[in-house]
């Protein structure tokens, strides 16, 4: 990983040395650069250089896997090689990766995956009847009875039908399976739908309203596609709720620069952990309708609701029940097998339900994804298990329910423990983690710490998170990676380390913070 | 699927009714359109319409899954519902989908997948020791010992190291694992690298040279990214070889409109089935070097070489052996588990090796893919099995070798059978299928058929393929989906149906062609 550091310093060097922003004579400058720079002298200038690559890619940032996380990986390697540190291991609280933090897979999902991967197990292996039947049904739905066949680009019809049934059960309203499109995790379909908005109508960039703080897939994808990010602030004081006044302000402020065409809402919230009330959802729908916005409902944490009195309402359900004219809103609702109680991030399974999308637009979206052939068929099989879990009375039901409940109960406890602990720490203020998998506390940093950060050329929250990592091995993501109200500092930590590890992490965090506060008092 | 037909006609209707191309007042026009059109009257105009979506998505076409293939799916459904047709089943010869056509999976791959999906099988199940060990090694390399954890965005380090060893063995030259990036099939990484070139340097679009005929992922992705496709024709008369004169001509012709920055070569060829000679590869490398082009070597069919005297040489190997200055060429070489002898399309595993790519460019590519989290970990596990198959002496080696050889021998026979049969048919001319999985014969269509096609508003090759589908159930892709020399007509068929089915298909094809020729004589 030390090569990564070098790359970044070379990139910085390249910009420093050339001092140029215009790409016109880049080949020539490339040569000059290579001759003068501290890296090896090149005989040939490059076809693809930092000066002539896609400028949107340069701008793109994704803090959840950014420089601090790269540094965490380096530290892990240093520890493996026997380096002496004030800690024995890195705790990866930077990413919502449940299994990596010790959560066990749901048995039913894994038994089905084993059987569809190696179909001889269906008859030879010792599996419950519903596992075998599910594997047979899935294989029947695959070309040549193999998960090695391409599926349709929007996914296997059987699974799309099961997803539609799941949505209909969840909401109490019908769902047409033709509007369900399977994907490699939610990220892929979020990007595919976002990309549809690239159109500089009347010479103005299309704008997409995104909450601040936000999950940085949105800022990264908008940068990648050259779309305008239109920030609206979540209200930390009212547990990260959405205020319509703020939505109006944000839209109004963006209008001269952009055609504001879509609104992203993440519920339950990432990184903020709130669960929107039904009333709040209704106001958002009215706002979207009033301004003719397309709604992105990022609902991947729909199973992750912990706080008493909190309940998940899908945007689809609420707008359907609001009736005309709100039930005609264009909506894309995203779901994933990476989160919830299953935490199957590595399998890459997800879906989008498209509601009220113009049929010809939807046909074009399906056409576009067809060039990518299909999402992982094993990921789709996992989606099937999530959309249609073992039903009461079926042999796998009891175990499935026990495992699911245990995961969600434990997450609920951890959600509370982490917020309580932070709120006992001086200078910390942490909203209740009502849902999702993260706490996003606000920290008051002493002026001397901010000064020290400035000296190192770091943002204060990056400085804090960086010190935490180097001194305790705890990997978190600074609030600036998600966006935060100017002058405030936050960080995101997952609630995913299993309980003993989480206690250890919080103890270590407390000690660090006390020392840090003393040092910069 | 009938809804798909309606979508397309609505899109066409939209364009006809409005007659407009400027998107400025699209919302208003949307209303007008809906009031006047034959579809239901809408109360609310759409935020996202065919007139205001990303225009690049409208342009994008991917014939391998285009309208004819959609029609093939409709026909399958009609047959299921008992419709009477002159045939009993659809033969999907449109897509390189080996398992769907009856090819059996490689046992070693599937045993490993079953074990990593359900680790209790490692001890409980009856598996060879090398399968168990591989599963343990892979799980050790996963966070928390689960394939449900995210991996690094460029893939699991252990697997990247195995891929690097595979490439080093293949070429006889070293490969740095840091330059290997795993992906969800080759398509994802091809798109990621192509996207780097989006930069209108000096007001000119970046151009990418693509063979005609080509695999339509290239034309689709270039359209999606707004890059300029610079066509060079393969020479059908010299078995689809690349002529440097033609490369020069194509580049020269494009220079006023585009900065020609990259060259795509597909070897073995898709759809054309040629295997480039070493001499030809050397000339291409010299051409790329002369003009400072970045080389895309699509080498996903590197295991699929059948013809006597043909041999696969990787571009990396040849340029390395050519020495300076050619060994400094920037190269991205793509590979997939979907093709070869494994045919594991549904698992979505692949990789790209980056050679001589500027470190800061590579860091930006890795940053960009990090927002997509990671490729399917089970797909990566399949990559591992392909990069590091059972070695001689290991318990699974004999079976693995037998299965691999059987697949490749059978493909070789089918490659020959299909070209021989086509060459016996009047008006057909088919080059030897030296490699890959396709035949791309040229057909001479009678003038009356061309006239009939024109009357139906269809391209003549689409007309032919469409008649073939409706009358025999054989699904092929018209040459126009890949590009072809003006005035010539071709189609692509896979060589993948298993031998009895392939015989049946060719017999049925012969009868159809005889009738077709008679009808339009």
């Amino acid at each position: 990983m030390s090569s990564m550091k070098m790359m970044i310093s070379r990139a910085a060097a390249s910009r420093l040395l050339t001092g140029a922003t215009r790409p016109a004579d880049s080949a020539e400058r490339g040569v000059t650069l290579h001759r003068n720079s501290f890296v090896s002298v090149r005989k040939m200038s490059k076809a693809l250089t930092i000066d002539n690559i896609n400028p949107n890619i340069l701008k793109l940032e994704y803090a959840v896997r950014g420089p601090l996380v790269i540094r965490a990986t380096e530290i892990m390697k240093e520890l493996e090689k026997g380096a002496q540190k004030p800690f024995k291991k890195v705790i990866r609280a930077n990413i919502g990766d449940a299994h990596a933090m010790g959560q066990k897979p749901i048995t039913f999902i894994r038994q089905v995956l084993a059987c569809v991967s190696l179909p001889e197990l269906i008859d030879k292996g010792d599996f419950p009847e519903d596992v075998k039947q599910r594997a047979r049904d899935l294989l029947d739905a695959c070309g040549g009875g193999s998960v090695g066949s391409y599926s349709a680009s929007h996914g296997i019809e059987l699974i799309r039908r099961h997803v539609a049934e799941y949505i209909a059960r969840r909401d109490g309203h019908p769902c047409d399976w033709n509007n369900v499109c399977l994907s490699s995790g939610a990220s892929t379909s979020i990007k595919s739908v976002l990309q549809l908005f690239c159109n500089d109508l009347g010479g103005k960039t299309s704008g997409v309203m995104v909450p601040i703080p936000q999950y940085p897939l949105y800022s990264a994808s908008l940068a990648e596609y050259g779309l305008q990010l239109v920030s609206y602030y979540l209200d930390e004081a009212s547990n990260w709720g959405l205020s319509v006044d703020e939505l109006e302000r944000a839209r109004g402020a963006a209008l001269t620069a952009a055609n504001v065409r879509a609104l992203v809402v993440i519920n339950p919230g990432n990184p903020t952990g709130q669960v929107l009330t039904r009333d709040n959802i209704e106001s958002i729908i009215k706002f979207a309708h009033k301004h003719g916005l397309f709604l992105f409902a990022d609902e991947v944490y729909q199973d992750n609701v912990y706080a008493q009195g909190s309940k998940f309402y899908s945007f689809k359900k609420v707008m359907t029940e609001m009736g005309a004219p709100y039930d005609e809103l264009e909506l894309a609702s995203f779901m994933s097998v990476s989160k919830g109680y299953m935490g199957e991030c590595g399998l890459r399974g997800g879906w989008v339900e498209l509601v009220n999308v113009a049929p010809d637009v939807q046909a074009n979206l399906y056409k576009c994804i067809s060039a990518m052939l299909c999402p992982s068929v094993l990921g789709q099989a996992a989606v099937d298990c999530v959309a249609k879990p073992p039903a009461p009375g079926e042999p796998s039901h009891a175990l499935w329910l026990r495992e699911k409940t245990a995961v969600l109960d434990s997450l609920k406890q951890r959600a509370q423990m982490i917020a309580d602990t932070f709120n006992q720490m001086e200078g910390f203020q942490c909203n209740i983690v009502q849902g999702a998998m993260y706490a996003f506390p606000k920290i008051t940093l002493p002026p001397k710490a901010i000064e020290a950060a400035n000296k190192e050329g770091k943002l204060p929250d990056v400085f804090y998170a960086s010190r935490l990592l180097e001194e305790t091995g705890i990997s978190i993501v600074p609030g600036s990676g998600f966006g935060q109200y100017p002058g405030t500092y936050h960080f995101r930590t997952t609630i995913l380390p299993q309980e003993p590890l989480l206690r250890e992490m919080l103890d270590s965090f407390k000690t660090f913070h006390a020392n840090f506060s003393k040092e910069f008092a």
Side-chain angles (χ1 to χ4, degrees), chain A residues 463-476:
Chain A
F463 176 76
Y464 183 86
S466 169
R467 288 285 296 261
L468 179 75
L469 175 65
E470 297 291 344
E471 292 176 28
T472 67
I474 300 170
S475 174
I476 57 170

Side-chain angles (χ1 to χ4, degrees), chain A residues 116-392:
Chain A
V116 296
S117 296
L118 193 65
E120 66 186 50
L121 289 177
I122 298 176
D123 296 318
K124 272 175 44 183
D126 182 23
F127 294 109
E129 204 46 55
D130 52 350
V131 167
K132 295 183 188 179
Q133 190 54 47
R134 182 65 58 92
R136 279 190 210 105
D137 291 347
L138 287 170
L139 290 172
D140 279 352
C142 292
S146 170
V147 293
S149 298
Y150 289 122
S151 74
S153 307
H154 30 34
I156 293 173
E157 180 178 324
L158 179 78
I159 305 176
R160 296 167 73 201
R161 288 180 182 273
H162 288 162
V163 169
E165 289 162 13
Y166 164 97
I167 293 172
R169 272 197 314 277
R170 181 193 69 191
D171 292 343
H173 301 289
C175 170
D176 180 349
W177 68 270
N178 286 293
N179 296 335
V180 171
C181 176
L182 306 188
S183 61
S184 297
S187 306
T188 314
S189 43
I190 291 172
K191 289 187 69 172
S192 300
V193 182
L194 274 178
Q195 200 189 6
L196 296 177
F197 288 88
C198 298
N199 188 332
D200 291 354
L201 301 167
K204 268 197 216 171
T205 309
S206 294
V208 176
M209 299 185 69
V210 170
I212 299 296
Q214 52 112 21
Y215 174 55
L217 170 68
Y218 292 100
S219 51
S221 303
L222 294 175
E224 181 177 344
Y225 295 142
L227 291 164
Q228 179 76 39
L229 185 145
V230 178
S231 310
Y232 66 91
Y233 287 102
L234 299 177
D235 184 3
E236 185 164 14
S238 67
N239 207 36
W240 301 114
L242 273 75
S243 124
V244 170
D245 286 349
E246 169 60 12
L247 290 171
E248 292 283 4
R249 181 208 61 77
R251 178 178 171 277
L255 283 179
T256 50
N259 293 305
V260 182
R261 301 178 63 195
L263 169 65
V264 173
V265 181
I266 310 174
N267 179 46
N270 174 8
T272 38
Q274 83 281 29
V275 177
L276 298 181
T277 63
R278 191 180 171 118
D279 275 357
N280 206 167
I281 293 175
E282 286 190 6
S283 324
I284 298 162
I285 290 171
K286 284 180 184 164
F287 169 81
H289 177 265
K290 176 178 166 192
H291 297 296
L293 300 177
F294 186 109
L295 196 59
F296 285 70
D298 182 335
E299 303 181 320
V300 300
Y301 296 99
Q302 57 191 264
D303 286 314
N304 300 96
V305 176
Y306 316 117
Q308 207 156 18
S310 286
K311 195 180 159 189
F312 171 73
Y313 295 95
S314 76
F315 273 85
K316 163 99 173 288
K317 179 185 177 69
V318 176
M319 63 181 245
T320 305
E321 293 173 4
M322 287 168 78
Y326 304 110
D327 58 357
E328 293 204 335
L329 203 66
E330 290 152 87
L331 170 76
S333 160
F334 303 92
M335 174 60 175
S336 165
V337 302
S338 302
K339 311 299 170 188
Y341 59 91
M342 44 284 180
E344 291 282 12
C345 309
L347 300 183
R348 313 310 299 125
W351 75 68
V352 56
E353 183 195 7
L354 301 164
V355 183
N356 295 326
V357 172
D360 46 11
V361 168
Q362 194 160 325
N364 269 284
L365 173 66
Y366 286 179
K367 180 190 73 176
C368 181
I369 62 172
S370 78
M372 296 306 288
L373 299 163
C374 70
S376 157
V377 171
L378 291 171
Q380 294 183 54
V383 167
D384 194 68
C385 297
V386 170
K388 192 189 173 188

Side-chain angles (χ1 to χ4, degrees), chain A residues 450-467:
Chain A
I450 295 174
E451 212 175 288
N454 288 340
K455 261 189 205 151
E456 288 189 19
K458 282 181 179 156
L459 294 173
D461 57 348
V462 173
F463 176 76
Y464 183 86
S466 169
R467 288 285 296 261

